[in-house]
Amino acid sequence: QQQVKQSPQSLIVQKGGISIINCAYENTAFDYFPWYQQFPGKGPALLIAIRPDVSEKKEGRFTISFNKSAKQFSLHIMDSQPGDSATYFCAASRRGSARQLTFGSGTQLTVLP
Amino acid sequence: EADIYQTPRYLVIGTGKKITLECSQTMGHDKMYWYQQDPGMELHLIHYSYGVNSTEKGDLSSESTVSRIRTEHFPLTLESARPSHTSQYLCASSGLAGSRTGTQYFGPGTRLTVL
């Protein structure tokens, strides 16, 4: 059972455009929602994260929007750059079970120069 | 940047060999994790540990085993490697005790190929 659904599977945007990746979750016990960025041959790196008590969090060009009632959250990358080309994973965790992360299936982002 | 290390980075071995993938972290984190990931695909949790002498199996069934004798060290062992074990193995750690979020920090991964 996939508890975190991520879309789209791949995304191509022009330099300077906005990249938007969406995730939906099922388990209402989730209380922490990070986004990870992964370059080929590297481990995932934490990009930005949010807790459900806020509806939006912004760090530089990266913004998470969170809709608790709809059980959805999204990553917006403003002014997308070729260096942003990577695979992005949303994830969710809850208390207990060593705070295991449940990952989405990933979005391969390509930013064209 | 997280201080979590994995060795080897790449490993090509023959079927039936015993292998150990090493993972160490210097952040004093109590929790550690092993994930399996095919290239560009979803991460699947195969083992995790709350702390020393604590290990649990993850959601994805795996023939591998783990041990946690020291806080900083979480090796993964395959007693008899098979081609179906070919994948990337990622180690992660999180949480000083009492951390509310459990942010996980990942190592660079070990790319395993079993011939």
Side-chain angles (χ1 to χ4, degrees):
Chain A
Q1 179 186 9
Q2 185 181 8
Q3 295 192 53
V4 179
K5 296 182 179 180
Q6 183 171 347
S7 63
Q9 185 175 7
S10 63
L11 180 62
I12 299 174
V13 300
Q14 293 286 342
K15 178 182 176 181
I18 301 173
S19 304
I20 301 174
I21 304 171
N22 301 298
C23 284
Y25 63 97
E26 300 168 3
N27 190 342
T28 55
F30 288 144
D31 65 354
Y32 176 65
F33 302 88
W35 284 89
Y36 283 84
Q37 179 188 56
Q38 186 178 29
F39 294 103
K42 305 287 187 182
L46 179 67
L47 190 62
I48 187 172
I50 197 168
R51 295 183 68 87
D53 50 350
V54 297
S55 60
E56 185 175 282
K57 183 174 182 179
K58 183 176 181 179
E59 291 184 0
R61 296 185 294 110
F62 301 93
T63 300
I64 300 178
S65 297
F66 188 85
N67 186 328
K68 187 174 181 179
S69 61
K71 293 187 287 185
Q72 296 175 347
F73 58 110
S74 60
L75 176 70
H76 293 64
I77 305 174
M78 310 300 287
D79 187 25
S80 298
Q81 299 296 312
D84 297 331
S85 297
T87 301
Y88 292 80
F89 293 93
C90 63
S93 74
R94 60 176 177 81
R95 291 178 185 171
S97 298
R99 278 251 170 225
Q100 294 177 41
L101 282 172
T102 300
F103 282 88
S105 54
T107 297
Q108 187 168 356
L109 171 65
T110 301
V111 181
L112 302 175
Chain B
E1 189 168 320
D3 295 323
I4 181 164
Y5 309 97
Q6 290 187 244
T7 57
R9 291 292 316 278
Y10 304 92
L11 181 60
V12 180
I13 60 167
T15 297
K17 299 292 185 182
K18 177 180 178 179
I19 62 167
T20 296
L21 307 184
E22 301 289 348
C23 176
S24 295
Q25 52 96 3
T26 59
M27 296 171 284
H29 286 168
D30 53 346
K31 302 176 191 65
M32 296 188 73
Y33 314 81
W34 276 102
Y35 292 86
Q36 187 173 338
Q37 182 190 32
D38 291 326
M41 302 295 286
E42 189 174 350
L43 285 79
H44 294 283
L45 181 69
I46 51 175
H47 298 284
Y48 64 97
S49 168
Y50 285 96
V52 171
N53 295 325
S54 151
T55 61
E56 302 285 347
K57 290 188 177 295
D59 297 330
L60 182 67
S61 177
S62 174
E63 294 169 345
S64 59
T65 59
V66 292
S67 63
R68 189 91 183 274
I69 298 174
R70 304 199 316 264
T71 299
E72 64 272 21
H73 194 215
F74 192 41
L76 181 146
T77 298
L78 274 167
E79 290 293 332
S80 180
R82 294 205 298 267
S84 61
H85 296 140
T86 295
S87 188
Q88 173 160 263
Y89 292 84
L90 291 159
C91 181
S93 71
S94 79
L96 296 172
S99 169
R100 291 181 65 227
T101 62
T103 298
Q104 291 186 23
Y105 298 92
F106 285 82
T110 293
R111 180 77 186 146
L112 173 65
T113 302
V114 184
L115 303 176

